[in-house]
Amino acid sequence: MATQTQAPEFKTDQMIINLGPQHPATHGVLRLVLTLDGEVVRHVEPVIGHLHRAQEWQGQNRTWFQYQALIDRVDYLSGMFTSWALSRAAEHIEATEVPKRAEYLRVLVSELNRISSHLLWLGTYLIDLGALYGFPFYPFIEREKILTFFEEIAGQRMMYNYIRIGGVQRDPKPEWFKKVEEFTKEFPKRVDEYEAIVTENPIFLNRTQNVGVLTQELAMSYGVTGPTLRSSGIDFDLRRFKPYSVYPELKFTVPVYNKDGDTWDRYMARIQEMRQSNEIVKQVLDMIPAGEIMSKKQNAGLRVKAGEGFAAVESPRGVLGCYVVSNGSDKPYRFKWRNPSFSNLSVLPPLLQGHPIADIMAIFGSLDIILPDVDR
């Protein structure tokens, strides 16, 4: 009588490996210490500090005038927002009344900056997923147009230094507004094209749906903000929750999902945000009033009176806050930044636990981390 053979039992040992800090898909010098059980991630430890730029320390050792130009490098994809947070914090100390036209211009350039940031995220995220067939660079066509707009009014395509304490640097020419208006008319069609290629793509769905599910409880406990939070069903956007500038005068929808969000939901949240930002820009173009653009003289001797102030803005990655203490001199006394990428990165270990190693970049990329925004 033949005996039934038992299937052999296999035992695997856990292995610790490094991912980064030079891995291209980490978009910066982030080191992930992975504990793997075969192909499955059991533990992740993000190790930061490889890119420390000492932005808070430099803010206390530069003049106000110098630091305005330096702070764009914290989140180099969203320089308008870092400048805006700094300016609003300083304006809070002095109770500065920013001209109405300047406030509209701030909203206009910031929402364009939100679109350009999400466009770059979309292209690079698809590269993270292995889509190297040309489409990842397609969103860069529209992003280049936005950068050209910024170059005309700020003189630069990346570190703008356009939003200043008391207003904005320059009033655009009438032709500039016409070009932006043409962009807003064409942009929704471009987003339709992105979605036609990506949103229902079976490979993309397989890599993103039910992958990296972020529960509401987990998101709240880690201080996650921005589209990453809203894609998990939590309706929190500073433009609505604590309105600032002229946002109360504008009509727009904040995309919020009614369930715990996965990687696909975080993709869709940013797609919808681009559409809404485009609508905001269209409204601003119709509503912007005439008038001055600056309430405070800009020169090397720029000072802010003694006091302390805090201000936050809704950046493409979430709540970006700036706390500043002034002693009345030409140099700030103390700076502290609340950067959304730092908090959003902290939720990565529980998100990756239990997933195969192939899902690491799909989940990590969906958080839209900017490393200087972490190592500040």
Side-chain angles (χ1 to χ4, degrees), residues 179-234:
K179 287 185 283 188
V180 173
E181 184 179 7
E182 289 299 316
F183 173 86
T184 61
K185 293 177 181 178
E186 291 294 326
F187 185 65
K189 300 176 185 177
R190 303 289 84 80
V191 181
D192 291 341
E193 293 174 357
Y194 307 153
E195 287 212 68
I197 298 172
V198 179
T199 302
E200 298 298 330
N201 184 294
I203 300 175
F204 184 74
L205 292 176
N206 189 52
R207 294 295 307 276
T208 57
Q209 283 192 328
N210 300 316
V211 173
V213 174
L214 177 61
T215 65
Q216 297 183 5
E217 293 76 16
L218 189 63
M220 292 289 288
S221 64
Y222 277 84
V224 174
T225 56
T228 301
L229 176 70
R230 294 187 288 274
S231 62
S232 291
I234 299 177

Side-chain angles (χ1 to χ4, degrees), residues 268-282:
M268 280 304 301
R270 294 184 178 91
I271 289 290
Q272 296 301 327
E273 272 202 1
M274 288 194 289
R275 294 185 184 275
Q276 291 302 316
S277 291
N278 190 69
E279 292 302 312
I280 293 174
V281 172
K282 290 167 67 175

